[in-house]
Amino acid sequence: SSPRSAPRTGARAAVFSTSSREADPSEMSHRKFERPRHGSLGFLPRKRTKHHHGKIKSFPKDDASKPPHLTAFMSYKAGMTHIVRDVDRPGSKLHKKEVAEAVSVVEAPPMVVVGFVGYVETPRGLRALTTVWAGHLSEEVKRRF
């Protein structure tokens, strides 16, 4: 008869139990070590974005005494690399020694001002009051809109 049809008793049960994953905990490890994740789940779904322009998410506090001026500048993190620099920190073990440090490469393409937005303060926060568009826009800027 085949081993599948035989009852699981005696020595045969020992053979089946030692071959299963639960039998010998010394051979097992946690999934965290056996097959770790590759990347953060916060970046899912991994696909090309629908809009290729950035967004300024924070602005400095407004000073009403100054005339209207540019308060933010668009730039993008293009990658990372490393540099070797001298440490100038008296009292440190690394004083006057070279260290390698990670640095971000920031790309700042030329910006074109296409208009201004005027805001009014309400009890619920700032609200856009009016938008003033530039009188002369180039063809490539118009094409982007």
Side-chain angles (χ1 to χ4, degrees):
S1 89
S2 70
R4 289 183 185 261
S5 62
R8 294 186 182 194
T9 58
R12 199 170 286 283
V15 170
F16 283 117
S17 65
T18 55
S19 64
S20 68
R21 293 282 293 170
E22 297 88 35
D24 192 10
S26 65
E27 291 179 15
M28 287 192 334
S29 180
H30 199 270
R31 183 190 186 278
K32 178 178 175 181
F33 306 112
E34 293 288 329
R35 190 185 176 281
R37 280 214 54 78
H38 301 299
S40 170
L41 291 172
F43 292 98
L44 290 179
R46 289 184 181 171
K47 63 180 183 180
R48 189 170 291 277
T49 181
K50 285 181 271 193
H51 47 86
H52 292 280
H53 57 85
K55 184 178 183 180
I56 299 172
K57 295 182 181 174
S58 65
F59 291 90
K61 289 283 183 194
D62 189 33
D63 187 5
S65 64
K66 293 183 180 177
H69 60 281
L70 191 64
T71 56
F73 195 82
M74 296 287 287
S75 61
Y76 305 92
K77 183 174 176 178
M80 291 192 77
T81 185
H82 67 278
I83 60 167
V84 177
R85 70 174 185 98
D86 291 328
V87 176
D88 185 28
R89 202 178 305 141
S92 171
K93 275 194 328 188
L94 299 173
H95 182 57
K96 292 187 175 177
K97 291 195 170 64
E98 288 187 341
V99 293
E101 287 186 342
V103 292
S104 295
V105 178
V106 178
E107 184 177 313
M111 282 179 33
V112 177
V113 177
V114 295
F116 289 98
V117 179
Y119 293 93
V120 65
E121 203 161 332
T122 65
R124 291 186 293 176
L126 292 176
R127 179 180 65 83
L129 180 67
T130 185
T131 303
V132 179
W133 292 95
H136 304 287
L137 295 176
S138 67
E139 285 301 316
E140 67 180 38
V141 170
K142 287 180 186 174
R143 184 173 51 86
R144 297 293 292 175
F145 290 113

